[in-house]
Each structure stands twice: as structure tokens, then as C-alpha cells.
Amino acid sequence: MTENKKVIPPYERTAHYYETDRMGIIHHSNYIRWFEETRIHYLEQAGYPYSKMEKDGVMIPVLSAECTYKNAVRFDETVLIYLKITQFNGFKMTIEYIVKGKENGDIKAIGKTRHFFVDSEFKPIRVKDKYPEVYNVFNDNKEEE
Amino acid sequence: MTENKKVIPPYERTAHYYETDRMGIIHHSNYIRWFEETRIHYLEQAGYPYSKMEKDGVMIPVLSAECTYKNAVRFDETVLIYLKITQFNGFKMTIEYIVKGKENGDIKAIGKTRHFFVDSEFKPIRVKDKYPEVYNVFNDNKEEE
Amino acid sequence: MTENKKVIPPYERTAHYYETDRMGIIHHSNYIRWFEETRIHYLEQAGYPYSKMEKDGVMIPVLSAECTYKNAVRFDETVLIYLKITQFNGFKMTIEYIVKGKENGDIKAIGKTRHFFVDSEFKPIRVKDKYPEVYNVFNDNKEEE
Amino acid sequence: MTENKKVIPPYERTAHYYETDRMGIIHHSNYIRWFEETRIHYLEQAGYPYSKMEKDGVMIPVLSAECTYKNAVRFDETVLIYLKITQFNGFKMTIEYIVKGKENGDIKAIGKTRHFFVDSEFKPIRVKDKYPEVYNVFNDNKEEE
């Protein structure tokens, strides 16, 4: 279990121009999209890309998403987004995020998303038995309580 | 106080094609944008458009945003988004949202955003004395506890 | 033919806050999305919504899109987008757009998109015989040369 | 002049999940955003990041943008976007783009954007004399006719 735990580097992301708004900062809605990119990056680094997971018949819809904004991010600023799987039972999952400025390490935002697992017919599933590869890629990296 | 309370109709919104994703539903990040549109609609209906508020020197940044997804919305589906000011003290504000399908009245999502008020230099302000018009447009429509 | 030609009103659209960028104007990429909304509005007004067309087995992918920007649009400004079908032969189609400020009538932008028709397997099709309803909704409103 | 010409590598970009639409491909409007990312990448590689250029008082608004779509890009596919400055006279500029699949080298799309230069008051300027660093970063890499 913990022997399989990989150290996944944070997701590195530079803010695009079109992600700014007239306040001169990155629009708050874009962080929810950055969390999705962070999940995709995590799975790719962990060895089971989400694109492959979808081809294997599993999708991971979002049950809820939240973000608290601490410090603005500006155009061309680079952030590092850290992801932690704080709850996973093969049926539901909670992921937490910390967005830090790459230059200063200042906390830009923190977030959380909750998920469930479905098959290609959108039917909720438990992945432990039928999709062990999916089960392990999350369970192996789950935070110990 | 309650005499000034206006009944603001819900914000009516039809989902755009480019808001869908390959799951065939509206991407979860777009609801956070819809909440922003709902706030803008609310202020316009209440008689003090946000564009005017910004010209008068007040901006309302987002402290946090969250959404819980109950039922998917699809391309060309129309939703009604109801907004409630659940906390307001002239310094901070909490707004809650319910997204309902226009056809069935089924709950699509619920959400919450928290805000603070700043001047054009981004300095946090209390709006009660200096910007009474801003204070009233939120206080008059606040939910009684 | 011309008896069936409907006068379709322009698409009315108010610019959202999240559509602005740090230049304080609507980001140029959003106009391409507005053109898509204008097409959807056109079909709905003409009596054959695109959502129904997709259910009937026809999709209309974009071959090309272009926009020339004349005058900036700002947050909360309302524009009227006029659409003209300048070429249609049941196989390919060209649509042109004029974006005007609602208040002044000033030309904000002009654009053009080109399209082809496919079935649900993404196979290119000629709609005249197999999908007469699709054929007519474009042919009836085509600009005379 | 040509001695200063740098070989700038293409911009590498993997398509995000939220960039797809219900057709299962990257929505056509996103390519216009990718072209903007490609310009930002170009300037960073050429030694004069756009964020610095804006701080030095020069902005580069878009006069027009166009894209022709040849082959779809899908979620998690990586493309390489090549940029060529095909016209530049210190006052106006034309940039052309080729989007190729990283795996196959197949052409996904081609595009073009036209630009002019303004100061921080949005006044059109000629950059040759007043902003030689801006002038050179484009002139040095212009395509010979």
C-alpha cells in the first residue's frame, strides 16, 4: 500500500492572458478549471492517464467544487498546484488543493472537489473489484488519516 | 427596510453549446460563471447595475465560491437561478444560489459565494457610510434571520 | 422560396464580466462563441432548434471562423448580432455576421464562419433529399445573389 | 538582422477536458485562445515576455483572427503550434500559425491574426523609434519575403 505511494510533483501552470478579467487578475472561475487540469496531471504522473481511464469505461464526475481565494494571481504568473486525496473508498472521493505562487510560495487559493465513479452509461459504480487499476491509482496515494 | 424589499425574478439562462464537454453535459466550472451572471442580473433588477457600482468606485471581489451538482444540465436547456443574500454587514457578504430546470423545476445545483467590498485601489471598505446606495441595494434584500 | 423567408431579429447579447480581460474589453476569442450563440438563436427563431437538428441526426461542424474587430465591447454593453447566410448548397454553408452596439448602432466587429453537414457518425452529407427540413431552414433564408 | 533571428521552438499544448464539447472534440473557439498562448510563448522564448512589454507601456491588440479547421483535436491530445511573422512594419503585424498533432505531424488547423501596437492610453503607435526592443523582437524574426 504505502510502498506504492508515488511522490507526484505539483502541477505547474502559468496564467494565460484570456484568463484575466478587467480587475486585472485571474477570474475566480478559472481556478475550478485549474483543479481539473491538476487532477489530469496527477493521473498522468501516477501512470494511469484519465484519457485511458475513460477508454477503459470509467468516468469521474464532479459532485461538488469549492475554492477560497487568498491572494490574486496575475497574467503570466506561475503557480504550483498541490493535490491531496483526503477521502477515497472506491465509490466516492474527496480531493483537496493548495495553489501556491511559484516565485514566493505564497498561498493563492485552497480548494476541494468531491467525486463519484460511473461507467460509460453514467451508472454509479464501485471500482474496487471491477476496475482494480482505477482503485489503486487513488488508494495508493490516499492521505493516511 | 422590508418595505424596500423588491421581489427580484430569478435569472433565466439557456446553456450554450460551447459550455458542454465530452460528457455531453454543461461543464461544472461554468456554474461559477452563471452565479456571477446571476449577481449582475440581480443588481440590474434591483436598480443599481454593477457596471455603475464600479464607476462609482466600489468593486466586490470573490472570497470563496462553491457549487454542489445535483442533476446535469444539457445544451439548450434553460435554468432559473435564484439568489438569496444570506449574510451582509456592509463589509462582507454571503450569497446562496439554487439552479432549477425551467421545464421541470428539478434542482440542478446549489451554490454559495462570499464577498468583500473594495474601492478602486483594491482597499477593503465598509460601504454603510460612504456608499449608502451600495449598502441599501444589498441590505434591503437581505434574508431575515 | 422567398415566401418562406422569415425576418429573424438580431441576437441580443450583453457582455459578461468574465468575458473581459485586463485590457478592460471583451476578449477577442469570445466573439467566435457569440457567433455560435447567434447561429443557435437563428435556428430557434426560424423554427428548427439546433438541439432538435442534432437529435434528428444532423450536426454542423465549423470549417473556418474569422472575425475583424472594429470597436471594443465592454462589460455590460449590449450588442445586436445580425446573421446572413451568404452561401448554401445543402453540402457547405457560409454565414456572415455584423456585431453592432445596441445603444449607438456602431459596428463592433464583422465575421464569417463556414460549415459542412455531417450525420451522427460524422460522415459528410448532402441534406437536400434526406433532411429536407434542415435544407429548408437554411435555403429559405439564404441571401439572394 | 538575420544574425539575430532565433529559432523559436513550436508551442506545445495538451488539450484540456473543459476545452472539449459534446461533439467530443476541442471546441473551435479555443484555437483562437491557443494562438494567443503561442504569441505569449514566442515572446518569452525570444527574450522579451509580453508581460514585460505591457509594463514598458506597449500593448498589442488584435485587429482580426481567423482559423481553418482541418482535423479535430481531442481531449489529452498534444499539438505543436508553429508561428510565423509574415508582415511587420512597426505599426501593423500579421502572424500565421500551423497547428500540428505532436504524435502524427498531421495538420489540425491553420490560422492568422493581425495586430497593431498601442501605448498604455490605447493610442496607436509606431514602435521603431520609441520602443526599439519591441521593434527588434518582431523584426528580427520576420519571414523574409
Side-chain angles (χ1 to χ4, degrees):
Chain A
M1 263 77 76
T2 39
E3 305 95 72
N4 288 324
K5 189 163 183 173
K6 265 182 112 152
V7 176
I8 312 280
Y11 175 57
E12 186 163 326
R13 176 59 145 84
T14 304
H16 301 313
Y17 200 89
Y18 60 81
E19 294 181 313
T20 62
D21 67 26
R22 45 172 278 127
M23 252 191 230
I25 61 177
I26 298 312
H27 190 268
H28 64 280
S29 64
N30 288 311
Y31 293 67
I32 307 299
R33 297 182 166 193
W34 290 1
F35 293 161
E36 179 181 88
E37 293 176 37
T38 305
R39 296 192 290 277
I40 304 295
H41 169 264
Y42 166 85
L43 285 173
E44 197 243 340
Q45 293 283 309
Y48 194 2
Y50 187 66
S51 48
K52 181 169 191 306
M53 201 177 283
E54 278 204 342
K55 287 194 178 104
D56 292 347
V58 175
M59 292 188 290
I60 315 181
V62 178
L63 270 173
S64 69
E66 59 187 86
C67 188
T68 301
Y69 308 92
K70 307 265 177 195
N71 277 293
V73 177
R74 291 178 162 73
F75 163 58
D76 221 24
E77 248 198 284
T78 301
V79 295
L80 300 172
I81 308 179
Y82 297 80
L83 169 160
K84 252 186 354 184
I85 299 165
T86 54
Q87 181 270 321
F88 173 74
N89 61 5
F91 184 57
K92 286 206 175 148
M93 174 168 64
T94 304
I95 300 177
E96 295 184 22
Y97 312 81
I98 304 177
V99 184
K100 290 189 177 181
K102 183 181 183 187
E103 197 174 305
N104 286 349
D106 57 327
I107 294 180
K108 304 293 194 180
I110 59 177
K112 184 189 287 186
T113 55
R114 295 185 304 120
H115 305 263
F116 65 118
F117 296 81
V118 297
D119 62 18
S120 45
E121 255 102 78
F122 250 89
K123 201 172 121 273
I125 55 176
R126 295 184 179 277
V127 296
K128 189 167 186 185
D129 297 322
K130 225 183 149 197
Y131 300 95
E133 215 188 327
V134 175
Y135 183 83
N136 291 335
V137 80
F138 295 112
N139 198 56
D140 287 349
N141 284 286
K142 191 170 71 178
E143 286 289 305
E144 308 300 330
E145 277 126 75
Chain B
M1 265 73 73
T2 35
E3 307 96 69
N4 288 325
K5 188 164 183 172
K6 267 181 112 150
V7 177
I8 313 277
Y11 175 57
E12 186 163 325
R13 176 58 148 85
T14 305
H16 301 314
Y17 200 90
Y18 60 81
E19 293 181 313
T20 63
D21 67 28
R22 46 172 277 129
M23 251 188 230
I25 62 177
I26 298 312
H27 190 267
H28 64 281
S29 64
N30 288 311
Y31 293 66
I32 306 298
R33 297 181 167 193
W34 290 1
F35 293 160
E36 178 181 89
E37 294 177 36
T38 306
R39 296 193 291 278
I40 304 295
H41 170 264
Y42 166 85
L43 285 172
E44 198 241 340
Q45 293 284 309
Y48 193 1
Y50 187 67
S51 48
K52 184 172 189 304
M53 201 177 282
E54 276 203 342
K55 288 194 178 101
D56 293 346
V58 175
M59 293 189 289
I60 314 182
V62 178
L63 270 173
S64 69
E66 58 186 86
C67 188
T68 301
Y69 308 93
K70 307 263 176 198
N71 278 293
V73 177
R74 289 178 164 73
F75 162 58
D76 222 24
E77 246 196 287
T78 301
V79 296
L80 301 171
I81 308 180
Y82 297 81
L83 168 161
K84 252 187 352 185
I85 299 164
T86 55
Q87 181 269 322
F88 174 73
N89 63 4
F91 185 56
K92 285 206 175 146
M93 174 168 64
T94 303
I95 300 177
E96 296 185 21
Y97 312 81
I98 303 177
V99 183
K100 290 189 177 182
K102 183 182 183 185
E103 197 173 305
N104 286 350
D106 56 329
I107 293 179
K108 303 293 193 181
I110 60 176
K112 183 189 289 187
T113 55
R114 294 184 307 121
H115 306 262
F116 65 117
F117 295 81
V118 297
D119 62 17
S120 45
E121 257 101 78
F122 250 91
K123 201 170 120 270
I125 57 179
R126 293 183 180 279
V127 295
K128 188 169 187 186
D129 298 322
K130 229 186 144 193
Y131 301 94
E133 216 188 326
V134 175
Y135 183 83
N136 291 334
V137 80
F138 294 113
N139 199 56
D140 288 350
N141 284 284
K142 191 171 71 179
E143 286 287 306
E144 308 300 330
E145 277 127 75
Chain C
M1 260 79 73
T2 37
E3 307 94 73
N4 289 325
K5 188 166 183 171
K6 266 183 112 150
V7 177
I8 311 279
Y11 176 56
E12 186 162 328
R13 177 56 148 86
T14 304
H16 301 313
Y17 200 89
Y18 59 81
E19 294 181 312
T20 63
D21 67 28
R22 44 171 280 126
M23 253 191 229
I25 61 178
I26 298 312
H27 191 268
H28 65 280
S29 64
N30 288 313
Y31 293 67
I32 307 298
R33 296 180 167 195
W34 291 1
F35 294 160
E36 178 182 89
E37 293 178 38
T38 306
R39 296 193 289 279
I40 303 296
H41 171 262
Y42 166 86
L43 285 173
E44 197 242 339
Q45 293 283 309
Y48 193 2
Y50 187 67
S51 46
K52 184 171 189 306
M53 202 177 283
E54 277 205 342
K55 288 194 178 101
D56 292 347
V58 175
M59 293 188 289
I60 315 181
V62 179
L63 269 174
S64 70
E66 60 187 83
C67 188
T68 301
Y69 308 92
K70 308 264 177 196
N71 277 293
V73 177
R74 289 178 165 73
F75 163 57
D76 222 24
E77 248 196 284
T78 302
V79 296
L80 300 171
I81 308 180
Y82 297 82
L83 169 159
K84 252 185 355 182
I85 299 165
T86 54
Q87 183 269 321
F88 174 74
N89 61 5
F91 184 58
K92 284 204 177 150
M93 175 168 65
T94 303
I95 301 177
E96 294 184 24
Y97 313 80
I98 302 177
V99 184
K100 290 189 175 180
K102 182 180 183 187
E103 198 174 306
N104 286 347
D106 57 326
I107 294 180
K108 303 296 194 178
I110 61 177
K112 183 189 290 188
T113 55
R114 296 186 304 123
H115 305 264
F116 67 117
F117 296 81
V118 297
D119 62 19
S120 44
E121 257 101 78
F122 250 91
K123 202 171 118 274
I125 55 177
R126 294 184 178 279
V127 295
K128 189 168 186 184
D129 297 322
K130 227 186 146 194
Y131 301 95
E133 215 188 327
V134 176
Y135 183 83
N136 291 335
V137 80
F138 294 113
N139 199 56
D140 287 351
N141 284 286
K142 190 170 71 177
E143 286 288 306
E144 308 300 332
E145 276 127 73
Chain D
M1 263 76 74
T2 37
E3 306 95 71
N4 289 325
K5 188 163 183 173
K6 267 182 111 149
V7 177
I8 312 280
Y11 174 57
E12 187 163 325
R13 176 61 148 82
T14 304
H16 300 313
Y17 199 90
Y18 60 81
E19 294 182 312
T20 62
D21 68 27
R22 45 172 279 126
M23 251 190 230
I25 61 178
I26 298 311
H27 190 267
H28 65 280
S29 64
N30 288 312
Y31 292 68
I32 306 300
R33 297 182 167 194
W34 290 1
F35 293 160
E36 178 181 90
E37 294 176 37
T38 306
R39 295 192 292 278
I40 304 296
H41 170 265
Y42 166 86
L43 286 173
E44 197 242 338
Q45 293 284 308
Y48 194 2
Y50 187 66
S51 47
K52 183 170 190 306
M53 203 176 282
E54 278 204 341
K55 288 197 179 99
D56 292 347
V58 175
M59 293 188 288
I60 314 181
V62 179
L63 271 173
S64 70
E66 59 186 88
C67 188
T68 301
Y69 307 92
K70 307 263 176 195
N71 278 294
V73 177
R74 290 178 165 74
F75 161 58
D76 222 23
E77 247 196 286
T78 302
V79 296
L80 300 172
I81 308 179
Y82 297 82
L83 170 159
K84 254 186 352 183
I85 298 165
T86 54
Q87 183 268 323
F88 174 73
N89 63 4
F91 184 58
K92 283 204 177 150
M93 175 168 64
T94 304
I95 300 178
E96 296 185 21
Y97 313 80
I98 303 178
V99 183
K100 290 189 175 180
K102 183 181 184 185
E103 197 172 304
N104 287 347
D106 56 327
I107 293 180
K108 302 296 192 178
I110 60 177
K112 184 190 287 187
T113 54
R114 295 186 306 122
H115 305 262
F116 67 117
F117 296 81
V118 298
D119 62 17
S120 45
E121 256 102 78
F122 250 89
K123 201 169 120 270
I125 56 177
R126 292 182 181 279
V127 296
K128 190 169 185 185
D129 298 322
K130 227 185 147 195
Y131 300 94
E133 215 189 326
V134 176
Y135 183 82
N136 291 335
V137 79
F138 294 113
N139 199 55
D140 287 349
N141 284 287
K142 190 172 72 177
E143 286 287 306
E144 306 300 330
E145 279 127 72

